[in-house]
């Protein structure tokens, strides 16, 4: 069975500071990993994915994620946070059938 | 929200009534999905469909039913057998099951009174 864990319910960061949202995964075989963002009362929007290749994946809105096979992690990062980045972030894993994490609320403080 | 529409945005029903949630996409995607979102639990997969006239149960299919008679449409029926139906329901689609970058609709918030 596949699973993904987001250990932080909420992350607070000051505007302009770098941000990291953590994700670890468990899957047999090669992982297909995703990050999505959800704004209040909206559907999810795709940010980025890792299937193979470079361990640093670049995505939408200046976000990137680092795949670490030995630590089974796929942390989401951004060099400089914006207030508009405040939202709920979901990590997901899977091929064909995707399993989502419980989400991390990111609060960027002006 | 990427060419996927869900209607209505808010839905209220009395306990014991079946209710059908609409999901339509104009992205020409083969695969479609239904998720349920509850606070603190993330998204849980209810049903998914790889192609017209084919669908598979997800992790929490009990009390739900779907149909896929057209490529564009994947309605979800919440039956009276679903013990706790009040939730936010999200529909999604992807080019195929193998290309599973999913596009989500805006969601339907169902409240059962």
């Amino acid at each position: 069975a596949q699973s993904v864990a987001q250990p932080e319910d909420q992350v607070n960061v000051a505007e302009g500071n770098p941000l990291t949202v953590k994700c670890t995964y468990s899957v047999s075989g090669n992982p297909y990993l995703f990050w999505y963002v959800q704004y209040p009362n909206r559907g999810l929007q795709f940010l980025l994915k890792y299937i193979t290749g470079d361990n640093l994946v670049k995505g939408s809105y200046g976000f990137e994620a680092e795949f670490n096979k030995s630590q089974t992690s796929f942390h989401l990062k951004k060099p400089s946070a914006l207030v508009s980045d405040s939202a709920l972030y979901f990590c997901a894993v899977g091929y064909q059938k995707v399993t989502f994490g419980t989400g991390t609320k990111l609060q960027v403080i002006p | 929200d990427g060419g996927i529409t869900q209607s209505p945005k808010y839905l209220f029903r009395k306990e014991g009534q079946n209710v059908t949630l609409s999901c339509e996409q104009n992205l020409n995607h083969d695969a479609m999905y239904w998720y349920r979102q509850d606070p603190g639990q993330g998204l849980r997969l209810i049903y998914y469909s790889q192609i017209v006239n084919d669908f598979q149960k997800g992790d929490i299919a009990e009390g739900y039913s779907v149909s896929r008679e057209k490529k564009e449409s994947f309605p979800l029926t919440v039956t009276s057998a679903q013990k706790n139906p009040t939730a936010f329901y999200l529909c999604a689609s992807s080019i195929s099951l193998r290309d599973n970058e999913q596009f989500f609709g805006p969601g339907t918030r169902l409240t059962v009174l």
Side-chain angles (χ1 to χ4, degrees), chain B:
Chain B
D1 291 305
I4 299 182
T5 58
Q6 291 186 244
S7 60
K9 188 171 178 65
Y10 298 96
L11 189 55
F12 297 88
R13 279 294 181 269
K14 291 183 179 180
E15 193 172 339
Q17 291 182 332
N18 292 355
V19 60
T20 297
L21 281 60
S22 168
C23 177
E24 304 277 334
Q25 54 100 358
N26 62 3
L27 300 168
N28 200 33
H29 285 172
D30 282 328
M32 296 188 74
Y33 314 80
W34 273 106
Y35 294 92
R36 170 182 172 137
Q37 185 176 18
D38 297 281
Q41 295 195 50
L43 275 69
R44 292 182 289 170
L45 182 64
I46 304 172
Y47 269 97
Y48 62 103
S49 169
Q50 182 172 249
I51 202 166
V52 174
N53 293 323
D54 178 73
F55 48 84
Q56 305 295 328
K57 292 182 179 180
D59 299 319
I60 55 165
E62 185 175 351
Y64 300 97
S65 65
V66 294
S67 62
R68 188 87 188 274
E69 297 176 2
K70 299 187 299 181
K71 187 175 186 176
E72 304 80 16
S73 179
F74 191 41
L76 173 74
T77 297
V78 184
T79 75
S80 56
Q82 168 49 232
K83 297 192 184 309
N84 186 18
T86 294
F88 190 50
Y89 289 89
L90 288 162
C91 179
S93 70
S94 61
I95 293 174
S96 70
L97 276 189
R98 290 185 296 172
D99 184 345
N100 48 9
E101 173 187 334
Q102 296 182 24
F103 293 78
F104 283 80
T108 292
R109 188 167 297 279
L110 172 65
T111 302
V112 176
L113 306 172

Side-chain angles (χ1 to χ4, degrees), chain A residues 34 36 38 41-44 46 49 88 90 94-98 100-102, chain B residues 1 9 35 37 40 42 45 59 90 97-102 104-106 109:
Chain A
F34 305 84
Y36 288 84
Q38 185 181 33
N41 296 312
R42 302 287 298 276
L44 277 68
F46 171 81
K49 67 180 177 184
L88 188 59
F90 289 95
Y95 175 73
Q96 296 189 350
K97 186 177 165 185
V98 176
F100 286 81
T102 53
Chain B
D1 291 305
K9 188 171 178 65
Y35 294 92
Q37 185 176 18
L45 182 64
D59 299 319
L90 288 162
L97 276 189
R98 290 185 296 172
D99 184 345
N100 48 9
E101 173 187 334
Q102 296 182 24
F104 283 80
R109 188 167 297 279

Side-chain angles (χ1 to χ4, degrees), chain A residues 58-72:
Chain A
K58 294 191 181 298
S60 306
Y61 314 120
F63 284 93
E64 57 191 26
E66 186 171 11
F67 171 67
N68 187 317
K69 188 172 183 178
S70 62
Q71 297 185 5
T72 62

Side-chain angles (χ1 to χ4, degrees), chain A residues 84-97:
Chain A
S84 58
D85 292 331
S86 298
L88 188 59
Y89 290 80
F90 289 95
C91 183
V93 65
Y95 175 73
Q96 296 189 350
K97 186 177 165 185

